[in-house]
Amino acid sequence: MKNVILNNSVKMPTLGYGVYQIPSYDDCKKSVLTALEIGYRSIDTAQAYGNEKAVGDAIRESNIPRSELFITSKLWISDYGYHKVQNAFQQSLAKLQLDYLDLYLLHQPYNDVYGSWKAMEELNKAGIIKAIGVSNFYPDRLVDLIAYNEIIPALNQIETHPFHQRYEDQLTMRKYGVQHESWAPFAEGQHNFFTNELLGNIGAKYGKSVAQVTLRWMIQRDIVVIPKSVTPARIRENFEVFNFELTEEEMLAIKSLDRKASSFFDHRDADRVEWFSKLNR
Ligand code: NAP
């Protein structure tokens, strides 16, 4: 497995397994076990996904040594605030049945980001979170957080796929040593993603699928990927992306698919911010 080295020297697998929208306990536990059997060692969950217990049970049942795993969870905005983080974090740890997390993220750039970050910095210094980071932070919010705090986020997990490539965001992250991680690498199948002609033609040359070409394209851009699937054959397919390499021309050709806009929503949209504030997880 290829790794990236985060800005505090923590090693993180370039490819992980995401468990968003797997609400069923049985489906989630089974899928995580399948992923671990195939060879994934990094799992991305969140307080808001409601499946940390299933992830924890799968980890325990797998008998894989803790030191070989990289486990990420995220703090939900209803638990933001200096005095609330510790409790929310301990609840996540208890559900995951772990005594430390490898990575803990602020899930959204809303509410008391600063108080929460201070608490996360303390947990990081205490060693019970190996690295702390953010998610859905656009460059302006990211730079502001960096400017007024001690610890620079190790990573920013943002929507990134062929239709929203985030080259400019990545430049800002690079400038500050923040690792770029993609969520929704397949745009959750939107815009007929899985039958895209350009990606399909590139894949045909290597005997690879649209999904595999896309993951490979991001890995070659130094982006960490965490594809989600509950289908065992696809979980395996998404893991088999280390035995081919895209050419410069192919990397450039994929640039033409960039719509430079979210396929879901803009985090700066006022109605969306209000919607988030009413989402109690
Ligand atoms: P995604 O990985 O882009 O897409 C998942 C969809 O693609 C599922 O419908 C899956 O179907 C299908 N799929 C997966 N592999 C496939 C393949 N090889 N061929 C054909 N179809 C395939 O979407 P995502 O789950 O939203 O994003 C990935 C992870 O990012 C999440 O699980 C989560 O960990 C993280 N995430 C974070 C945020 C955030 O705000 N921080 C937001 C969204 C996601 P089946 O499952 O039916 O096989």
Side-chain angles (χ1 to χ4, degrees):
M1 170 60 66
K2 197 171 174 284
N3 293 293
V4 295
I5 306 293
L6 303 177
N7 62 16
N8 63 353
S9 304
V10 166
K11 206 162 75 171
M12 175 181 195
T14 305
L15 171 71
Y17 177 69
V19 296
Y20 179 44
Q21 296 180 129
I22 319 181
S24 144
Y25 171 87
D26 288 342
D27 288 350
C28 184
K29 186 178 162 200
K30 203 167 67 187
S31 300
V32 172
L33 269 171
T34 302
L36 293 173
E37 272 159 29
I38 287 169
Y40 290 81
R41 289 296 176 266
S42 166
I43 309 290
D44 181 87
T45 183
Q47 178 187 350
Y49 300 170
N51 55 20
E52 290 171 307
K53 172 80 167 70
V55 171
D57 284 352
I59 290 171
R60 195 166 37 80
E61 215 170 289
S62 76
N63 280 324
I64 295 170
R66 176 67 183 93
S67 59
E68 289 179 21
L69 297 170
F70 190 99
I71 308 301
T72 302
S73 193
K74 316 183 191 81
L75 178 73
W76 189 245
I77 40 183
S78 47
D79 278 316
Y80 277 21
Y82 181 77
H83 296 289
K84 289 169 94 176
V85 172
Q86 173 74 256
N87 186 42
F89 170 71
Q90 289 300 340
Q91 281 185 31
S92 284
L93 266 194
K95 287 179 188 155
L96 287 161
Q97 302 150 68
L98 300 175
D99 53 15
Y100 72 91
L101 272 188
D102 296 279
L103 180 64
Y104 196 45
L105 306 179
L106 286 175
H107 204 148
Q108 305 289 351
Y110 306 134
N111 199 356
D112 185 4
V113 162
Y114 293 83
S116 308
W117 191 253
K118 281 267 164 295
M120 284 166 62
E121 286 181 333
E122 287 173 14
L123 292 165
N124 187 201
K125 284 180 190 165
I128 42 179
I129 308 174
K130 301 300 175 197
I132 54 175
V134 296
S135 178
N136 297 308
F137 275 53
Y138 292 37
D140 61 320
R141 294 293 84 219
L142 183 68
V143 174
D144 191 67
L145 184 71
I146 290 169
Y148 298 103
N149 287 283
E150 193 185 331
I151 297 181
I152 295 178
L155 173 149
N156 187 17
Q157 183 183 115
I158 54 173
E159 177 191 346
T160 311
H161 46 72
F163 307 123
H164 193 25
Q165 304 193 359
R166 313 298 287 260
Y167 272 95
E168 291 81 8
D169 295 60
Q170 192 177 16
L171 277 182
T172 305
M173 288 189 254
R174 280 219 173 105
K175 177 175 172 187
Y176 294 95
V178 179
Q179 174 63 48
H180 184 169
E181 181 176 41
S182 147
W183 65 251
F186 310 141
E188 294 182 5
Q190 292 190 72
H191 319 298
N192 299 317
F193 173 80
F194 292 106
T195 52
N196 183 274
E197 202 182 335
L198 172 69
L199 298 170
N201 286 342
I202 294 174
K205 187 174 146 193
Y206 301 101
K208 294 288 180 182
S209 68
V210 166
Q212 289 169 318
V213 167
T214 298
L215 295 174
R216 183 70 213 177
W217 165 70
M218 281 196 269
I219 290 167
Q220 287 184 215
R221 285 182 58 200
D222 297 322
I223 298 173
V224 170
V225 288
I226 44 166
K228 170 263 174 185
S229 172
V230 291
T231 314
R234 292 175 177 169
I235 301 175
R236 183 175 294 283
E237 177 183 323
N238 297 341
F239 193 71
E240 290 169 354
V241 292
F242 294 103
N243 55 358
F244 73 114
E245 191 165 358
L246 300 175
T247 64
E248 263 318 298
E249 295 77 52
E250 287 159 348
M251 295 293 289
L252 277 175
I254 295 172
K255 264 194 161 180
S256 67
L257 298 176
D258 197 359
R259 299 174 180 208
K260 294 184 186 272
S262 171
S263 294
F264 299 89
F265 49 78
D266 190 318
H267 281 79
R268 293 162 295 202
D269 177 69
D271 289 340
R272 181 57 57 174
V273 179
E274 184 185 337
W275 177 84
F276 268 116
S277 74
K278 290 179 177 157
L279 251 192
N280 238 328
R281 301 282 183 145

